[in-house]
Amino acid sequence: MTQHLFSGYTFRIKIFYLLNCNPLVIFTSKQQMEQKDDIYYINKVLDGQTQFFSYLVEKYKDIVFSIALKVLRNREDAEEIAQESFIKAYKSLSSFKGKAKFSTWLYRITYNNCISEVRKKKLNYISSDEVQIPDEPEEMNLDGIPSENRAKVIKAALDKLPESEYTLTLLYYFEEKSIEEIAGITKMTESNVKVKLFRARKKLYAILNDMLKEEIHTIL
Amino acid sequence: MDNELKKLIQEIKLDKPGNDFTTSVMNRVFEEKAALEKVKGDSVFGKGFWIILILFILLLTAVVVFSIEGIEISTELPKLFGNAPAGQLQQGYQSFFTNLGGLPLSIGGILFATSLLLFFDKFLHRILPNHSNKKAV
């Protein structure tokens, strides 16, 4: 989806160049453009053309589902909560003022839904304090990960993170949300988000190191 | 390093929900829309509200009319009931409204409160349509 949108963006940039315009004046970033797209579709939905809501569902379903799946650890529950989040967003769409990005607003709904579900079901999930951070250096050579299955290895390492750190990492690195936006989604303080992100990164490197060591052992 | 990690994380493929996820969401969205339109189409004042309001007004009118002293009812009664003993009819009639006159506040209050409750019920259903939908689900 990101790649698809990005290709659309580069396509538009080419068009602007052909028209002898500076694209940076019109679109300063991919995120701003995405926000413009979202607002266009939101307005359509608010005007009664409900079918345009499917564009927003298609665009954000994977990340919403991923967050729900990580928190709830069950596909069925995650799908249910992801659906609920979209329905809630649809019902409250008229209250969305566009001050924040639609995605930030949607992720906040999703995150709150997940937390409520966890509380309702009294699920125990691993808190970040229960997972020990090995005494490993924070940085590692990411080039050491074989390129052919790099995405898989990173995904597997991410999956091993506790849910809150997984969500923060996903929002910060994958969705390119700012610390302020993440704080808004998770209702954490900005300094807390920073600390948790630092810990998450450290854990991720440690997990990746372990995975690489295991792989080397297997090869040897 | 951070940028390198960002690049790597952006390469990952996220878990995907089932193939019919968007369809399911949109079906529910259309259901919500239909329910909302139905609620919007309903009038705020339902049948029950109007019946109770009319009864209340009738009762109030009757109480006000018959509690005013000096109303001549005796002359009209024999015409209505033909050969019936006018004295007894008049006595019964007056006794009914005298007794009724003792109750207006309590009955009126009950009817008025009922009307208000019905009105609030309708009003709340109108402004909180989602609440009623949730209960139905």
Side-chain angles (χ1 to χ4, degrees):
Chain A
M1 178 62 70
T2 315
Q3 276 178 336
H4 167 71
L5 287 165
F6 191 74
S7 60
Y9 173 59
T10 44
F11 172 73
R12 284 184 219 192
I13 286 175
K14 280 173 192 165
I15 296 282
F16 279 113
Y17 271 123
L18 285 171
L19 294 171
N20 214 12
C21 299
N22 182 357
L24 294 175
V25 176
I26 297 151
F27 296 133
T28 50
S29 72
K30 179 186 137 200
Q31 282 193 347
Q32 269 184 345
M33 214 191 76
E34 281 182 13
Q35 175 70 352
K36 276 186 183 177
D37 281 353
D38 289 353
I39 286 171
Y40 170 79
Y41 288 108
I42 288 164
N43 286 336
K44 286 267 181 200
V45 176
L46 291 174
D47 284 344
Q49 291 170 281
T50 314
Q51 68 275 18
F52 283 100
F53 193 71
S54 63
Y55 164 83
L56 299 167
V57 179
E58 271 296 316
K59 186 175 171 185
Y60 295 111
K61 66 177 183 181
D62 290 353
I63 185 118
V64 165
F65 176 71
S66 290
I67 293 171
L69 184 62
K70 183 67 190 178
V71 178
L72 301 166
R73 286 177 286 160
N74 174 311
R75 277 193 77 88
E76 277 180 24
D77 289 347
E79 276 212 24
E80 183 58 32
I81 290 300
Q83 281 194 19
E84 284 295 331
S85 303
F86 279 111
I87 302 294
K88 218 176 219 179
Y90 168 74
K91 283 183 190 170
S92 321
L93 207 57
S94 55
S95 68
F96 174 69
K97 305 290 177 205
K99 285 177 189 167
K101 284 179 201 147
F102 173 75
S103 54
T104 306
W105 185 70
L106 177 67
Y107 300 154
R108 184 159 54 224
I109 293 174
T110 308
Y111 195 76
N112 287 344
N113 269 358
C114 290
I115 298 298
S116 303
E117 189 66 12
V118 165
R119 282 183 190 149
K120 205 162 75 185
K121 292 198 167 181
K122 292 178 182 168
L123 288 175
N124 297 314
Y125 56 91
I126 313 153
S127 92
S128 50
D129 296 330
E130 286 167 17
V131 176
Q132 284 189 334
I133 304 170
D135 192 19
E136 297 274 354
E138 195 213 325
E139 305 211 339
M140 68 170 287
N141 183 15
L142 292 167
D143 292 333
I145 307 167
S147 58
E148 62 273 12
N149 56 355
R150 200 172 278 172
K152 267 187 188 173
V153 172
I154 296 282
K155 174 82 172 65
L158 270 174
D159 284 341
K160 286 184 180 176
L161 284 177
E163 65 83 26
S164 67
E165 288 167 7
Y166 171 88
T167 308
L168 295 184
T169 311
L170 206 64
L171 292 173
Y172 187 74
Y173 291 106
F174 190 84
E175 278 292 292
E176 296 180 71
K177 295 282 174 207
S178 67
I179 299 287
E180 190 189 354
E181 285 173 320
I182 297 173
I185 293 167
T186 56
K187 288 180 183 168
M188 287 179 196
T189 61
E190 285 184 31
S191 53
N192 200 6
V193 171
K194 278 181 196 168
V195 170
K196 278 191 174 261
L197 264 175
F198 173 77
R199 286 163 65 98
R201 194 167 49 228
K202 203 169 177 182
K203 274 183 202 172
L204 193 65
Y205 287 145
I207 294 165
L208 282 169
N209 269 327
D210 284 346
M211 286 170 84
L212 287 174
K213 275 178 203 163
E214 274 174 35
E215 199 167 323
I216 291 164
H217 276 295
T218 319
I219 293 164
L220 290 173
Chain B
M1 192 68 170
D2 223 27
N3 284 337
E4 207 178 334
L5 184 62
K6 185 190 280 183
K7 210 177 130 191
L8 282 175
I9 288 178
Q10 284 184 345
E11 277 176 24
I12 64 163
K13 284 196 171 70
L14 293 174
D15 292 294
K16 289 183 188 297
N19 291 333
D20 61 342
F21 182 84
T22 307
T23 315
S24 305
V25 172
M26 288 314 289
N27 284 342
R28 285 180 65 184
V29 163
F30 287 125
E31 276 171 25
E32 287 290 333
K33 194 190 175 190
L36 197 70
E37 274 168 6
K38 191 180 174 292
V39 171
K40 275 184 185 170
D42 287 348
S43 58
V44 176
F45 306 110
K47 232 183 229 173
F49 174 79
W50 288 115
I51 291 169
I52 291 190
L53 189 72
I54 289 165
L55 282 175
F56 173 68
I57 291 168
L58 282 176
L59 187 74
L60 206 67
T61 315
V63 168
V64 170
V65 166
F66 293 108
S67 62
I68 298 169
E69 279 188 1
I71 290 175
E72 288 295 326
I73 49 169
S74 56
T75 52
E76 299 299 321
L77 277 173
K79 288 178 196 169
L80 277 170
F81 296 97
N83 295 330
Q88 278 181 17
L89 270 173
Q90 194 180 338
Q91 206 179 359
Y93 192 72
Q94 277 176 336
S95 145
F96 171 74
F97 281 106
T98 311
N99 289 334
L100 196 66
L103 298 172
L105 274 176
S106 52
I107 292 175
I110 290 165
L111 286 171
F112 185 65
T114 315
S115 310
L116 268 180
L117 283 174
L118 276 167
F119 170 74
F120 281 128
D121 183 50
K122 276 278 166 189
F123 185 68
L124 287 174
H125 271 77
R126 196 181 166 87
I127 61 163
L128 299 169
N130 301 333
H131 177 67
S132 55
N133 291 341
K134 251 185 199 172
K135 277 198 283 189
V137 172

